[in-house]
Each structure stands twice: as C-alpha cells, then as structure tokens.
Amino acid sequence: MDDQELVRRGFRSILSAQDDMEVVGEAADGAEALRVLRDVDADVVVMDIWMPVMDGVAATEELVASGNRARVLALTTFDTDENAFAALQAGAGGFLLKNAPPAELLSAIRSIAAGDAIVAPRVTRRLLDRFAGQLVPAVPAVHSSAKRLATLTEREREVFLLVAQGRSNADIAERLHVAETTVKTHVGRILGKLELRDRVQAVVLAYESGLVRPKA
C-alpha cells in the first residue's frame, strides 16, 4: 500500500516473481487499503507510513481493531521516524526502511508472515531508545505486568529478554545453545502467558516494565 504508483509497480514486480508470494491487492492510501482488505484474504500488508487521506498508522490501527488476520509490515523513509514507532504501537508486526534492498524486503515479508522475528531489530531498538519515554501503553501497565512476568520460568525469562533486544530466533538459539524450534516453542509460550499479540508487544512490555532500559 503506497501512494506512489511507481513504487507499487516495483513492489508488485518483485513480489510476483516469488514462488511463495502472490499480490492480491494494492491501494494508494490508507482508506483504500482498508476497503481492499475487506475483499481479499491477505497474509501480509506492506503498509507505507506516509499516505494521503489516511496514513499507514491509522490504517494499521483500524485493520488490527477489525480483527483482520493480516499482519502489517510498515515502511518508513527514515529510521528515526516517530511514526514508524507509532505503527508498532498500532499493531504492525514490524517495519522496514523504504530503501531496503529487495532481498531484505522479501525476507521481512516472510518473517512477518511466519510471526517470527521483529523486522530490522537494530532500527527497532534505536526507535525504542529514542521514544521509550513517550510510550502510550499498548500492553499492561508496569504494576499489572509484574505478576504475569513472574509466571515465566527462568529459561522463558531469558528468552524474553533476548526477544526484547530484537534478537531473532536463530540468534537466540545460538546464544543459548538450543535448537531454533525450541526457541520458537518458548516464544509461543511467553506470548501466551503474557497475553501479548506478537514479539513487538513483547519488546514494548520489556521497556515499559523496566527490564530493558533506553540507552543514555
């Protein structure tokens, strides 16, 4: 979903060339995107942050609130874009810089579709470091989250902290000397116990609860 037709054509060309991907719709603004998504069954929505009529943040928020199962990959021009963080707060599964190479875009879409890693973890951490003090709680407040955090086992807490640092499943598996499938199992249990939608909310919760602190 992008207001520039040339950009949409480029994305469509790249995605359509993949054996495991199919473009089922496109739109020039957020409002049109929501209309399109009511009529198609999409797994992932590549959503530009800056669009006319309705921006990507508002469109993401409405999409998530509607119960649509599609996961959102938000696109931003700058890695310090406050609106990219707002998109995560609105429910996007991750975000990517708009000038990312095609291989990175394809990898990000596959990761988002699988509900696996947060996209562009280093950029995510920079945004969290910059805007952590401006968080609008999208997950339980600190006093109510402490009780649920206490339900985690020692290993689950260890995995949770690594997820909060933006680590991928493969990276966590290597650090803990376990199989990647074991990490995926831990992450699933952690999200269930903490009643979180995805890994993005896990990162935000870690910052809100003080387990991970912004850099000085």
Side-chain angles (χ1 to χ4, degrees), residues 36-211:
V36 170
L37 289 165
R38 284 196 290 265
D39 299 325
V40 300
D41 185 20
D43 296 310
V44 176
V45 180
V46 181
M47 185 84 75
D48 186 18
I49 294 293
W50 296 100
M51 292 188 292
V53 184
M54 176 185 287
D55 64 33
V57 175
T60 296
E61 190 170 17
E62 285 204 23
L63 182 67
V64 172
S66 73
N68 192 301
R69 73 177 188 85
R71 291 177 57 82
V72 175
L73 171 61
L75 295 183
T76 178
T77 304
F78 306 105
D79 62 7
T80 56
D81 186 353
E82 182 176 356
N83 290 284
F85 182 76
L88 297 182
Q89 289 285 75
F95 69 92
L96 194 66
L97 294 180
K98 205 169 183 179
N99 62 354
E104 190 172 345
L105 171 66
L106 296 173
S107 176
I109 291 173
R110 292 184 177 106
S111 293
I112 290 292
D116 188 8
I118 297 173
V119 180
R122 286 176 297 180
V123 180
T124 301
R125 288 198 294 275
R126 281 205 296 275
L127 272 179
L128 286 169
D129 288 338
R130 179 174 178 182
F131 298 113
Q134 304 173 25
L135 289 174
V136 176
V139 288
V142 175
H143 68 277
S144 61
S145 65
K147 189 174 295 185
R148 277 190 286 184
L149 286 171
T151 67
L152 300 181
T153 66
E154 184 176 348
R155 177 45 62 94
E156 287 170 349
R157 188 180 179 89
E158 191 173 8
V159 171
F160 174 71
L161 288 174
L162 290 171
V163 168
Q165 294 169 19
R167 306 291 180 183
S168 68
N169 284 348
D171 189 14
I172 295 173
E174 183 178 354
R175 286 170 176 268
L176 299 183
H177 306 291
V178 297
E180 190 171 344
T181 53
T182 301
V183 175
K184 289 182 178 180
T185 298
H186 282 313
V187 172
R189 288 175 179 167
I190 290 166
L191 296 181
K193 285 184 176 182
L194 300 180
E195 300 179 17
L196 301 174
R197 180 181 59 248
D198 53 33
R199 297 168 73 111
V200 172
Q201 281 200 335
V203 175
V204 175
L205 175 60
Y207 271 74
E208 290 181 339
S209 63
L211 292 178

Side-chain angles (χ1 to χ4, degrees), residues 5 101 212:
E5 183 177 357
V212 177

